[in-house]
Amino acid sequence: MIMEKLDSYFELTARGTTVLTEFKGAVATFLTMAYILAVNPAILSTSGGDCEYGDNGPFGPEYTLCQEETKRQMVVATAMTSMFACLVMGLWANLPIALSCGMGMNAYFTFNVVGFKGFGNVSYGAAMTAVLIEGIVFFVLAITGARYWIIKTFIPEPVRHAVPAAIGAFLAHLGLQTAEGLGIVVGDIATAVTLGGCSPEHRVPLVALDEACKADTSMCVTSDTYTCDVLGGQMESPTAWLGLAGTVLMVILLTYKINSSFIIGIGLVTVISWFRGTAVSYFGDDALGDAKFDYFKQVAAIEGFDKIAMKYDFGGAKGSDYVVALITLLYVDFLDTSGTLLAIVSSMGLVDENGDFPKSRAAFSTDALATIFGSFFGMSPITSYIESAAGVEAGSRTGLTSIFVAFFFFLSIFFAPILSSIPAWASGGSLIIVGALMCRSLSKVHWENPAHAVCAFVTVIVMPLTYSIAYGLIAGIGTWMIIKAVAFVLGMAFGIADPTIIEADEPAQVEKEAEPEKFAEDAAKESEA
């Protein structure tokens, strides 16, 4: 009886999947995005939250202690907000898409809005008010259908086809870097990025050489960005090679159609990395490693919310800096979430000939509701996670996957010390693999038409290089608008036909239009296998 109700509500049979397949996909999705439990609190707490400067200022022990307490509370808040978002997506939209605090959005919120240790022009309370307002505006756009209409109207065909591949390239870029991946691609003073893979002792941090840093080196802002060029040691890092081995293992397992490929690869590398005293240990032999291991040994820990809950400051929500922050949060979150949703749903073969998909209004509304909910607990905007593609590749097709992911986030509320200890080099390989598989969407682009080809290429290349889904979409859409504007002027003045229009009866187009149905059939066959 229960299985029949599950099948009916989540359309398991209709989408060619099973409860077990959905569970495996959920595990794959959760493992690839579990890093958010550690990364998001680390980024957001850098702003200082609602902490006040003590007698010794922002670098005194009182402020530092407050920051640490804020960070621990944000671990639980991140898990709880993600759980709520995934539940809504699964129960309402019936899509296998997980949500959490958006990477990039949290960095913008911290470093550009509130500022490092609160040095920005917008207070933490006012910034949280901006997040709340943004969520409300987004919800109105989504529930009325205006959000989907905007996407359908203003995102041209070549950009829509290029977005999955562009996000795939972005994912692979993340998987190759240190914070979320293998650490093979690192920073470079001359070329921005270069070959890395060096051990921690060979890493030289890159700093922002602004006026404050020039005047006082203690004010220099550092980040996870570093270079291996100064001290050498490229590709000598044991963790990079362990991560590569895990990646190869996952590729081999995928080749043999084993749906648990991501679980096996990530799990094996993680367990190996938990042993202390080895060259690949996640818990190094230093003060930081000891702190991580002490936190890991707690197994279960729950924090309160007194430092982060309901910290709105409506009185401080004014001024040009605040308006800029609100507008930026709106358009970046709009484009990021829209691109992610369309990419994943397209890869599942659920998008119809009009570019729509089942329960699209509910799907676009979910991240808005989650953003409103997250603002109650001091979180930056919530967005759909492209890492959900890992679950889709493992066979996920329904919202039951999101329900399982929500359950994992619920467990992480109690077991954050364990789940936040999954090394980046364990999950980075899965991001690279998923990125590669998502590039198949490029087969739908009309490469024989220069206008379509250039717009698609610009979208794909800009997205990973600017570290932003939004900027990739802006570049692709902007290029298309310029070409269309020129074509319109030439057509009106000289009667020249618009070269961007593809005739529907062209053989190549007919073949391409049949691909979504073919993909759906292939996906169903793979799920059955």
Side-chain angles (χ1 to χ4, degrees):
M1 181 67 70
I2 295 178
M3 294 302 297
E4 291 179 359
K5 289 184 177 180
L6 284 176
D7 193 341
S8 175
Y9 186 85
F10 292 105
E11 303 175 4
L12 298 175
T13 301
R15 297 191 185 183
T17 184
T18 64
V19 174
L20 180 59
T21 300
E22 296 296 295
F23 179 80
K24 291 179 179 179
V27 174
T29 295
F30 181 74
L31 288 178
T32 57
M33 65 181 293
Y35 67 86
I36 196 65
L37 293 171
V39 176
N40 187 61
I43 293 175
L44 291 180
S45 62
T46 304
S47 69
D50 197 46
C51 295
E52 297 181 356
Y53 298 154
D55 295 336
N56 297 310
F59 297 96
E62 301 93 346
Y63 191 84
T64 302
L65 179 60
C66 181
Q67 268 192 295
E68 184 61 29
E69 293 177 358
T70 299
K71 178 181 177 181
R72 292 177 180 177
Q73 292 185 13
M74 284 181 170
V75 171
V76 180
T78 301
M80 187 171 63
T81 303
S82 303
M83 176 192 71
F84 171 82
C86 292
L87 277 175
V88 176
M89 180 64 77
L91 293 174
W92 192 17
N94 194 25
L95 290 174
I97 298 176
L99 303 91
S100 190
C101 294
M103 289 295 293
M105 291 295 289
N106 50 15
Y108 174 77
F109 176 91
T110 297
F111 298 108
N112 296 97
V113 181
V114 182
F116 175 71
K117 290 183 179 291
F119 290 160
N121 296 323
V122 179
S123 69
Y124 179 75
M128 291 316 309
T129 304
V131 174
L132 174 65
I133 295 174
E134 182 233 337
I136 294 173
V137 173
F138 257 28
F139 182 74
V140 172
L141 290 175
I143 203 68
T144 59
R147 186 173 180 177
Y148 172 70
W149 177 81
I150 293 173
I151 295 170
K152 182 180 178 181
T153 304
F154 296 102
I155 300 184
E157 178 191 350
V159 177
R160 287 202 303 269
H161 292 326
V163 162
I167 295 181
F170 180 59
L171 268 182
H173 190 42
L174 291 176
L176 288 168
Q177 295 185 61
T178 304
E180 299 92 4
L182 308 181
I184 294 177
V185 173
V186 300
D188 183 83
I189 298 174
T191 61
V193 292
T194 188
L195 180 67
C198 58
S199 300
E201 61 270 16
H202 290 104
R203 299 173 182 176
V204 177
L206 298 179
V207 302
L209 191 61
D210 53 18
E211 293 302 321
C213 179
K214 291 178 182 178
D216 183 359
T217 56
S218 66
M219 299 296 292
C220 293
V221 179
T222 61
S223 65
D224 291 333
T225 304
Y226 63 88
T227 183
C228 300
D229 288 346
V230 178
L231 300 179
Q234 284 87 347
M235 294 309 297
E236 294 182 2
S237 171
T239 58
W241 285 107
L242 177 61
L244 281 173
T247 304
V248 172
L249 174 61
M250 286 185 278
V251 172
I252 293 174
L253 294 175
L254 280 172
T255 303
Y256 285 94
K257 307 296 182 182
I258 298 176
N259 288 334
S260 304
S261 305
F262 291 109
I263 303 173
I264 296 172
I266 295 174
L268 180 60
V269 174
T270 297
V271 171
I272 293 174
S273 302
W274 278 348
F275 288 97
R276 300 206 72 177
T278 68
V280 296
S281 177
Y282 179 68
F283 311 109
D285 297 324
D286 54 17
L288 179 59
D290 292 338
K292 287 182 177 180
F293 191 64
D294 289 339
Y295 185 57
F296 172 75
K297 288 190 298 182
Q298 291 182 28
V299 181
I302 301 179
E303 302 288 341
F305 299 110
D306 60 291
K307 299 290 184 183
I308 58 177
M310 304 296 289
K311 296 298 182 180
Y312 301 123
D313 179 12
F314 292 94
K318 57 185 178 181
S320 59
D321 292 319
Y322 178 81
V323 173
V324 170
L326 177 59
I327 293 175
T328 303
L329 288 172
L330 275 169
Y331 88 80
V332 172
D333 198 17
F334 180 93
L335 293 177
D336 274 6
T337 300
S338 303
T340 301
L341 276 171
L342 287 175
I344 296 176
V345 177
S346 294
S347 69
M348 294 169 57
L350 295 179
V351 178
D352 60 25
E353 63 275 7
N354 297 318
D356 197 5
F357 58 91
K359 297 185 177 180
S360 59
R361 189 169 299 188
F364 287 123
S365 300
T366 298
D367 68 301
L369 285 175
T371 295
I372 296 172
F373 180 83
S375 70
F376 297 159
F377 301 98
M379 296 289 97
S380 56
I382 310 301
T383 186
S384 300
Y385 257 58
I386 191 59
E387 283 86 345
S388 304
V392 173
E393 290 298 331
S396 295
R397 291 295 180 271
T398 75
L400 189 57
T401 290
S402 298
I403 303 299
F404 284 131
V405 174
F407 176 70
F408 294 144
F409 274 119
F410 170 73
L411 292 180
S412 68
I413 293 176
F414 307 97
F415 298 102
I418 296 292
L419 297 173
S420 62
S421 297
I422 297 175
W425 57 84
S427 59
S430 64
L431 300 181
I432 298 171
I433 295 170
V434 170
L437 295 175
M438 292 182 71
C439 286
R440 61 186 169 205
S441 69
L442 292 176
S443 64
K444 301 177 184 179
V445 176
H446 294 277
W447 293 106
E448 72 282 357
N449 187 299
H452 286 245
V454 171
C455 289
F457 177 76
V458 167
T459 303
V460 172
I461 199 68
V462 170
M463 199 171 289
L465 292 183
T466 59
Y467 216 78
S468 170
I469 295 174
Y471 292 153
L473 284 169
I474 291 171
I477 295 172
T479 302
W480 180 260
M481 291 177 64
I482 293 173
I483 296 174
K484 291 292 287 187
V486 172
F488 175 78
V489 172
L490 293 178
M492 293 294 293
F494 305 104
I496 301 176
D498 188 344
T500 65
I501 297 177
I502 303 295
E503 296 297 332
D505 58 352
E506 290 184 12
Q509 175 69 3
V510 172
E511 180 181 353
K512 294 179 191 296
E513 288 179 346
E515 287 186 4
E517 289 75 11
K518 182 178 183 298
F519 176 83
E521 294 175 0
D522 293 342
K525 292 178 181 178
E526 290 180 6
S527 298
E528 293 173 0

